[in-house]
Structure formats: structure tokens, C-alpha cells
Amino acid sequence: MQDAIAAGMPEGSGQEKQDRYWMSLALEEAGRGQEAGEVPVGAVLVQDGHCLARAHNAPIGARDPTAHAEIRVLREAARRLGNYRLPGTTLYVTLEPCPMCIGAMVHARVARLVFGAPDPRTGAAGGALDLVAHPSHNHRIAVTGGVEAERAASMLRDFFRQRRAR
């Protein structure tokens, strides 16, 4: 696990500053995914100021439709902690999560979701759907959207522009 102070996050910083810091790591992951030919989405899972896991999208390389960045960090953190429940965690992701990823976060009991760019077509945290607030769920996730949204959206736009140009 990565210590937040060792990773360069200022100690005692406000929530907004912390959110930007962790999102910058998620954006780094998105860049790694883009270099690998994946849609550039990155995620970081944090608990008590420590990075539990970080990953990027990998469905193409892994030949796994569930290998979204969010699912990958949840799996890694659960493996490291020895528990499929991840209470007290915050998941940072560069793009508003899809329904599959929101479902996994609810089951894992993630406390908070922070995303960058909204996804009005398939986002499930208030974009196309709002599964986070669905009354059938027995767990509620606090949501903060729009953190480093322009950087995340720009990365996605550039990726798809380059892909269409091929």
C-alpha cells in the first residue's frame, strides 16, 4: 500500500485539494491505459489517506469486458485487505462510472465516489442513470463529480479523435 505523504500529498490539506491530488493519480493511470491502447479511464481507491489500489481500463488487453478501472481497483483492494467489503474507502475515477461499476461499488460498500468527466450516455451516478440513489440499494455512496473534469474529458476526446483518424 502506498502512504499518502510518501506519495507527495500535502498533509492536512482540505478535501478539495485531496480530491485533486488523488484524481491526478487516476489521470496518470488513464494515461497508462491510453498508452496500452485502452480507453483512457483510470481509478484509485483510497482509505485513510492511503492508496489501496490504482488501475486503468484493460478490457481489450485482458480480453475481459469487466476489466474496467473501477472493477480492477476494487478487486485488488479486496485481495490486499482480505475482504470483499471496503467500507471507509473513496474511489476516484476519471469518468463517471457505468451501471456495472456502480453495482460493484454498492456491493463493496465504498463510502464515497469522486469522478472527473460526466458521462451523459452511460454514466450511472447521475448522468444517464442515477443508480447511486436507487431506493432498492441498502448502501448509499456519497458522490462528488467534476473533479478535474476538463482534463479527463480532454484525454477522452483526444483518444477518440485519434482513433477515428486511423
Side-chain angles (χ1 to χ4, degrees):
M1 288 186 239
Q2 183 178 1
D3 188 304
I5 297 166
M9 186 178 79
E11 192 171 0
S13 49
Q15 189 64 61
E16 188 177 318
K17 194 173 217 176
Q18 289 179 39
D19 288 349
R20 283 195 315 270
Y21 170 77
W22 293 114
M23 188 61 73
S24 73
L25 295 183
L27 286 161
E28 286 177 14
E29 284 299 321
R32 288 186 181 100
Q34 183 169 1
E35 290 170 8
E38 302 282 352
V39 175
V41 176
V44 175
L45 189 69
V46 176
Q47 185 178 51
D48 299 326
H50 298 276
C51 178
L52 296 177
R54 52 190 288 178
H56 57 76
N57 267 8
I60 298 167
R63 294 175 182 83
D64 177 358
T66 69
H68 291 197
E70 302 95 321
I71 300 295
R72 294 180 70 213
V73 296
L74 293 173
R75 285 177 179 158
E76 178 60 20
R79 186 192 64 75
R80 284 183 177 180
L81 296 176
N83 193 345
Y84 73 105
R85 299 281 197 216
L86 303 167
T89 58
T90 299
L91 195 150
Y92 292 86
V93 62
T94 58
L95 180 65
E96 181 183 354
C98 73
M100 173 184 70
C101 294
I102 292 294
M105 285 180 242
V106 168
H107 289 290
R109 302 299 191 260
V110 168
R112 185 168 175 248
L113 164 66
V114 179
F115 68 85
D119 186 350
R121 293 189 328 169
T122 62
L129 303 166
D130 193 359
L131 293 181
V132 174
H134 198 277
S136 68
H137 292 151
N138 63 352
H139 174 71
R140 296 289 176 255
I141 301 171
V143 178
T144 302
V147 176
E148 300 292 348
E150 186 47 43
R151 285 179 61 197
S154 177
M155 187 179 283
L156 287 159
R157 279 191 305 269
D158 291 348
F159 174 80
F160 286 112
R161 186 178 302 121
Q162 290 172 1
R163 188 168 258 189
R164 284 188 301 271
R166 290 183 190 166

